[in-house]
């Protein structure tokens, strides 16, 4: 958001994998004493100010935090469903905070487009839609970036090792992408922007470390990771077939 004035942007896109991946519990021991254990090392705090400074660092790195007693933490450890509910609530709260910040800081004449990615749970879509008086939710519609350039979007990706919420087989993804192209007049394809979260297969955009069956990174003799192409063949096919003006991926 701070970069907007410098780039003189007309449109801002916040697309893909909007949510964090981990929670850092803050355990309250007693009045004015807390500890956290984010990376296997206990950190103790004896003032709220110092604690908040450290938590701000973690939040800026994408972690979620919440305060609880030892007993409450133990209860969560015994109840995975409650952990999932907590995680979902923290994701939604953080995203709502960000979107409120967008509404406050970004001038109204600048278009703001926010789209989830394959890692994002479906519950966050309603959070984005709740801000649609200011923010554009681009899925299953054509969004015009200006008077000339339409944009279609897709948050789904081809299968990954992580079994993320929004992934599907290549043949299903192909059908979904074809449906998106049908939303646009063929005469506009030469101006079309394709906002597809999955990168096209066998390009410089889809290289990732190769994983073994235990999801460990495969390394070369020199210790560097072996890289493989992991993008979508369906995405590549439709881009080659319809020749849009621009693809936005990742």
């Amino acid at each position: 958001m701070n970069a907007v004035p410098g780039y003189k942007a007309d449109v801002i896109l916040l697309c893909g994998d909007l949510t964090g991946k981990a929670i850092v519990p803050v355990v309250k021991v007693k009045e004015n004493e807390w500890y956290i254990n984010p990376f296997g090392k206990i950190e103790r705090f004896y003032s709220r100010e110092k604690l908040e400074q450290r938590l701000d660092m973690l939040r800026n790195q994408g972690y979620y935090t919440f305060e609880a007693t030892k007993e409450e933490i133990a209860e969560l450890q015994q109840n995975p469903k409650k952990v999932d509910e907590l995680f979902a609530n923290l994701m939604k709260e953080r995203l709502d905070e960000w979107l409120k910040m967008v509404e406050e800081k970004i001038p109204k004449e600048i278009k703001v487009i926010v789209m989830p990615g394959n890692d994002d749970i479906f519950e966050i879509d309603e959070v984005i839609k709740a801000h649609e008086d200011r923010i554009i939710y681009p899925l299953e519609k054509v969004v015009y970036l200006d008077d000339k350039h339409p944009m279609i979007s897709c948050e789904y990706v081809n299968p990954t090792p992580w079994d993320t919420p929004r992934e599907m087989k290549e043949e299903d993804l192909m059908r979904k992408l074809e449906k998106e192209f049908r939303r646009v007049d063929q005469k506009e394809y030469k101006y079309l922007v394709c906002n597809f979260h999955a990168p096209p297969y066998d390009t410089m955009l889809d290289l990732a470390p190769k994983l073994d069956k235990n999801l460990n990174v495969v390394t070369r003799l020199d210790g560097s990771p072996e890289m493989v192409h992991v993008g979508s063949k369906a995405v590549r096919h439709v881009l080659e077939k319809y020749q849009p003006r621009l693809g936005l991926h990742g």
Side-chain angles (χ1 to χ4, degrees):
M1 283 184 280
N2 292 331
V4 172
Y7 285 100
K8 299 180 180 178
D10 299 309
V11 182
I12 300 172
L13 292 96
L14 305 174
C15 298
D17 300 340
L18 303 173
T19 53
K21 305 294 191 291
I23 301 174
V24 177
V26 180
V27 182
K28 185 170 184 177
V29 180
K30 58 184 179 181
E31 193 68 25
N32 293 323
E33 184 179 347
W34 305 263
Y35 72 82
I36 60 175
N37 186 16
F39 308 110
K41 181 181 179 182
I42 291 179
E43 302 175 34
R44 295 189 180 275
F45 301 88
Y46 300 95
S47 78
R48 171 64 70 175
E49 182 181 2
K50 294 290 185 183
L51 173 65
E52 287 299 327
Q53 288 175 358
R54 181 68 176 104
L55 296 183
D56 281 343
M57 292 175 61
L58 291 168
R59 292 167 188 147
N60 288 336
Q61 293 170 353
Y63 294 96
Y64 301 108
T65 64
F66 80 104
E67 189 171 317
T69 64
K70 288 182 180 179
E71 293 74 20
E72 290 168 335
I73 298 295
E75 183 182 350
L76 283 170
Q77 290 173 332
Q78 299 300 316
N79 194 328
K81 185 177 180 181
K82 282 191 174 181
V83 174
D84 290 342
E85 291 174 355
L86 173 65
F87 213 159
N89 287 333
L90 291 172
M91 288 177 179
K92 291 188 290 183
E93 288 172 8
R94 178 73 58 80
L95 181 58
D96 188 56
E97 290 172 4
W98 286 350
L99 298 182
K100 286 177 179 175
M101 198 181 304
V102 167
E103 292 172 336
E104 293 169 1
K105 293 192 173 185
I106 303 300
K108 286 184 169 54
E109 62 270 18
I110 297 175
K111 287 184 180 178
V112 180
I113 298 167
V114 180
M115 182 185 83
N118 64 294
D119 284 342
D120 294 317
I121 59 174
F122 292 99
E123 289 90 331
I124 72 163
D125 294 56
E126 293 306 316
V127 177
I128 302 171
K129 291 177 182 178
H131 293 265
E132 278 195 293
D133 56 337
R134 174 65 185 91
I135 289 164
I136 298 171
Y137 175 81
L139 297 179
E140 299 184 347
K141 67 178 74 167
V142 179
V143 174
Y144 278 82
L145 301 179
D146 55 21
D147 294 336
K148 191 175 183 179
H149 296 90
M151 183 181 78
I152 53 176
S153 302
C154 179
E155 83 278 37
Y156 275 81
V157 302
N158 49 302
T160 76
W162 318 112
D163 191 25
T164 58
R166 307 182 201 229
E167 55 186 69
M168 55 177 58
K169 295 178 181 178
E170 288 279 15
E171 55 267 33
D172 295 328
L173 184 55
M174 179 79 77
R175 284 191 287 270
K176 186 172 180 62
L177 295 173
E178 289 282 2
K179 183 178 179 180
E180 294 305 321
F181 275 94
R182 289 197 294 273
R183 299 181 194 277
V184 183
D185 189 312
Q186 292 184 16
K187 295 177 182 178
E188 294 187 296
Y189 283 175
K190 61 183 177 181
Y191 305 116
L192 180 63
V193 175
C194 292
N195 176 28
F196 298 159
H197 190 51
Y201 179 75
D202 196 16
T203 62
M204 293 301 293
L205 297 177
D206 76 326
L207 286 168
K210 183 178 181 180
L211 304 178
D212 63 20
K213 62 181 181 180
N214 297 315
L215 302 182
N216 295 315
V217 175
V218 176
T219 57
R220 303 178 188 275
L221 290 176
D222 63 1
S224 63
E226 183 177 342
M227 305 298 284
V228 292
H229 293 284
V230 298
S232 168
K233 294 179 180 179
V235 169
R236 176 158 188 154
H237 175 80
V238 295
L239 294 180
E240 290 179 340
K241 178 180 178 181
Y242 295 112
Q243 295 290 302
R245 172 60 59 91
L246 179 67
L248 302 176
H249 308 279

